[in-house]
Amino acid sequence: MVQTPGLTPNAPPSPLLPPGVLRKLLGLLAVLGLVLGGGFYWQLRQQALEQRLLRTFQATPTLAVYRLNPQVRWGRVRLSGTVPSPSLKAQAEQIAQQALPRHRLESKIEIPTVPPPPEVIQDNAQQAAATLSQTLNLELATTYNSAQQQLVVQTPDLSATQLQQVTQVMEQITGVRSLVIKVASNRHPLEQRIYFETNETQIASSDRQGALLQLAQYLKANPNITLNVIGHTDQSGGERYNQQLARQRATVIQQLLVAQGIAANRLFIRGDTNLPPNVLVNDPMNKSRCVRFEVVNLEE
């Protein structure tokens, strides 16, 4: 067997790196992985907090129309955007502090001194109407008159509480100096419903001047029509209480119609604890708190 000088047969190959250097390199890679992984985790967490805060703003009717931008960075939350009044700025800041109490708040929200262009005001009003329609289960349409700086809101149905909420949101829109809310239903007078607040038997003034007045005028023009006046409640109370409340609501509507010149013997009252027609169990409860009308006798 011939051996080459200087070489040992079957000798293991030399390692590329000494063992000590290799261990240090692996340790460095492990630390780097932890740092990068931790940074990625915190980045995802900060983004999740930003999205949660943004959803809270969007779910608040008075703020949903405005573009607020929350940024969460290492124990701080920074708010930027534009709102029309100091009260809305304070509301946004309070929401951020309540949502992220351990974060330091930096508010960069601005309050403009110059009204935006009319098309921006109209867009803001439409966005506010869309948000309110969804949260309050309403049908709202808006028209902005730039010459008078007047915003007109039209809706077929509106309770007293809903009227207050719609007014609060719409009056805050920058560039709106006057607000007009019109409750005008396209429904037939007999198809309209009068809505009530929880446990209440009194109706809003808008219903007195709107749906109820239209119904009284229709009954005067059609003296042969006799109605069942049927009161309803939501499902939150007991059967006996709901029956009494439903009948009381029907009685109130009967009395109001009598006060407008409709004979009491044309209005038969009834309380019904079942859901009104076309109202489902999963629908908002305010749709159940109503009085509706059925024709008893119609003579041609």
Side-chain angles (χ1 to χ4, degrees), residues 44-58 69-72 100:
L44 290 179
R45 177 171 172 78
Q46 289 171 168
Q47 291 176 353
L49 293 175
E50 290 173 357
Q51 290 300 316
R52 187 178 74 181
L53 188 54
L54 187 60
R55 286 194 297 269
T56 304
F57 288 146
Q58 293 172 345
N69 180 34
Q71 291 182 324
V72 179
L100 303 174

Side-chain angles (χ1 to χ4, degrees), residues 18-214:
V21 175
L22 182 60
R23 285 195 298 270
K24 291 181 180 180
L25 181 59
L26 291 176
L28 181 61
L29 290 175
V31 171
L32 183 61
L34 289 174
V35 171
L36 293 177
F40 183 67
Y41 166 78
W42 281 109
Q43 183 179 7
L44 290 179
R45 177 171 172 78
Q46 289 171 168
Q47 291 176 353
L49 293 175
E50 290 173 357
Q51 290 300 316
R52 187 178 74 181
L53 188 54
L54 187 60
R55 286 194 297 269
T56 304
F57 288 146
Q58 293 172 345
T60 305
T62 51
L63 295 174
V65 65
Y66 305 107
R67 295 174 179 85
L68 295 174
N69 180 34
Q71 291 182 324
V72 179
R73 295 292 183 273
W74 306 109
R76 295 182 301 172
V77 54
R78 178 175 179 173
L79 298 181
S80 60
T82 303
V83 295
S85 67
S87 62
L88 288 179
K89 178 181 179 181
Q91 184 182 18
E93 293 169 349
Q94 182 180 14
I95 289 175
Q97 289 176 330
Q98 291 176 347
L100 303 174
R102 297 183 179 180
H103 289 66
R104 184 163 60 90
L105 177 63
E106 295 181 3
S107 179
K108 301 296 182 181
I109 298 176
E110 298 179 351
I111 302 174
T113 57
V114 179
E119 59 271 16
V120 175
I121 299 174
Q122 177 63 35
D123 288 343
N124 289 341
Q126 290 177 348
Q127 185 176 349
T131 302
L132 288 168
S133 296
Q134 183 176 5
T135 56
L136 301 180
N137 193 36
L138 292 173
E139 298 177 14
L140 297 175
T142 60
T143 304
Y144 179 68
N145 186 325
S146 58
Q148 300 178 355
Q149 294 183 311
Q150 182 183 77
L151 179 64
V152 178
V153 180
Q154 293 181 313
T155 178
D157 298 307
L158 200 65
S159 68
T161 300
Q162 291 170 335
L163 175 63
Q164 182 180 5
Q165 292 174 306
V166 171
T167 301
Q168 181 183 10
V169 172
M170 295 301 183
E171 283 183 340
Q172 295 281 4
I173 296 176
T174 306
V176 174
R177 284 196 172 183
S178 65
L179 175 67
V180 177
I181 298 180
K182 295 182 178 180
V183 181
S185 177
N186 295 324
R187 300 175 182 173
H188 190 281
L190 296 179
E191 296 176 348
Q192 298 188 85
R193 296 178 179 181
I194 311 297
Y195 292 93
F196 297 79
E197 298 300 325
T198 304
N199 298 325
E200 290 293 331
T201 58
Q202 301 302 314
I203 66 172
S205 58
S206 58
D207 284 327
R208 291 174 184 261
Q209 301 170 4
L212 205 60
L213 180 60
Q214 293 177 20

